[in-house]
Every structure is written in C-alpha cells, then in structure tokens.
Amino acid sequence: MIIAVDGPAGSGKSTISKLVAKELGMIHLDTGAMYRLFTLKLLKEKVSFEDKDKINELLENLDINIENDRFFLDGKDVSEEIRKSEISENVSEVSAIKEVREEMINLQRKFSSSKDIILDGRDIGTVVFPNADIKIFLVADPKERAERRYKEVIGKGGKASFQEIYESIVNRDRLDTVREISPLKKAEDAIEVDTTGKTIEEVKNMILSIYKTKSNDC
C-alpha cells in the first residue's frame, strides 16, 4: 500500500502523514527532508548550485539516514538544522536540479519497496509513484500556512518575522510550481483536502476516511 500526500509548504503534509502512518501502522517518509539534507550538505561544503560535477560527486557519496523521524547527515543528527530559514530559502533551488531530483527519486523508490508506506512531498503522486494506491493533495491559505510556521518557530524558542515567513512561503510556492523538473501540481486522480481553518485531528480523520473508502473499493 502506497499513499502519496503532496502539497505546498506549510499545508501540513508531514504532520498529518506522520499521524496517519502511526494510526494505520505504516511507515512514513518525509521526502522533503531528503532535499533539505542535501541542501544542508551543499551549504556546508560551500558548493555552488551550478557546479554539476561537484554535485554529482556528493550525490555518489551521500550519507543520509532517517530513523524514527530523525534525520541524519554524515552520521550526525541534523533534524533541527534542516528546518532553519537558510535551508528553507535554498531548498527549492536545490530540488530543481535535475541530477538531485533523479537521485532522490531513486532513493525514495528504493526505500519504499515492498512496504506499506505513506510519503509526503511535492511530486509523489505525479512522478515518484504515479500509480500510488491513494493520492492526497493538501492545500491551505498562504497566510494560515505562514501563521503555522511562525508559531512553530516561536514555540521552539526561535526568532521569526511573520511577514518574512509569509513572503518566503509565497515565493516557495512560485518556485515549486514553475520549475521545469517535477513541478508542484495536483495529480489528476488526487483528492484535494483544504486544511484551512481545520485542526490537525480533523484533517487526520478526513484522510483516514478517504483511506477507509478507498480500501473498501479495492
């Protein structure tokens, strides 16, 4: 069983997918975090996003791991580091690099082989698993998505500007939608779920209801 959950930044993909996976006893894979891990690697190594030779070299020797929703780069837990604003501001550009996209898709397919799994990202239902059993496309008002991110940062003791987060989300939406490689878009057979004004529990139950209906139809 493969469940694909796609949608723009801040729509609640990872949070909801994690809860649904736990409820159904499935594995959860946050594919966006994989791109964040590689973005962090490039920034740490001070590699230009235009340097394809160096990027390919890093991809060939990439050491990333995901365990219990913790994210590791070169053996180090960088779960908090990959959520920082510097990563958010650069991950769209990195994820649009053809070689990066191809390698990440290969890793996602390999990791998901022979598993009951729910994956969230931007292109799971359109590119990674176009034949996924269930496809969900989460959306939410940009201002509400920015408010969620703002509260998340403040709640963790960080400093943030709501306006800067809002502008970042709007820009991220634009970059993700217009990029040539695997743009963010709703699969034709995906079910759209608007999370605006809804609690996490409400959205989780909506997804579980879709799962139940789809499973009964199979």
Side-chain angles (χ1 to χ4, degrees), residues 66-103:
I66 303 172
E67 294 180 5
N68 300 318
D69 286 312
R70 302 298 294 179
F71 305 95
F72 298 82
L73 176 65
D74 298 326
K76 179 184 176 184
D77 188 340
V78 293
S79 303
E80 278 71 44
E81 199 170 353
I82 62 172
R83 303 298 175 184
K84 291 183 177 179
S85 59
E86 183 181 21
I87 304 301
S88 297
E89 290 164 5
N90 288 282
V91 67
S92 283
E93 188 174 352
V94 172
S95 62
I97 299 171
K98 180 175 178 289
E99 292 80 3
V100 174
R101 202 91 211 167
E102 289 175 348
E103 180 60 21

Side-chain angles (χ1 to χ4, degrees), residues 16-28 118 208:
I16 298 302
S17 296
K18 194 182 301 183
L19 291 172
V20 171
K22 184 177 181 180
E23 190 88 13
L24 298 177
M26 301 177 74
I27 293 170
H28 166 241
I118 178 168
L208 289 173

Side-chain angles (χ1 to χ4, degrees), residues 7-10 13 32-33 35-36 39 83 87-93 95 101 121-122 145 149 165-179 184:
K13 299 184 303 297
Y35 291 98
R36 286 175 174 271
T39 300
R83 303 298 175 184
I87 304 301
S88 297
E89 290 164 5
N90 288 282
V91 67
S92 283
E93 188 174 352
S95 62
R101 202 91 211 167
R122 299 291 194 282
R145 287 188 277 138
R149 282 287 167 87
I165 290 177
Y166 172 72
E167 290 174 1
S168 175
I169 279 180
V170 171
N171 186 54
R172 179 84 187 271
D173 286 350
R174 182 185 62 80
L175 292 173
D176 287 346
T177 304
V178 303
R179 70 186 179 209
L184 168 67

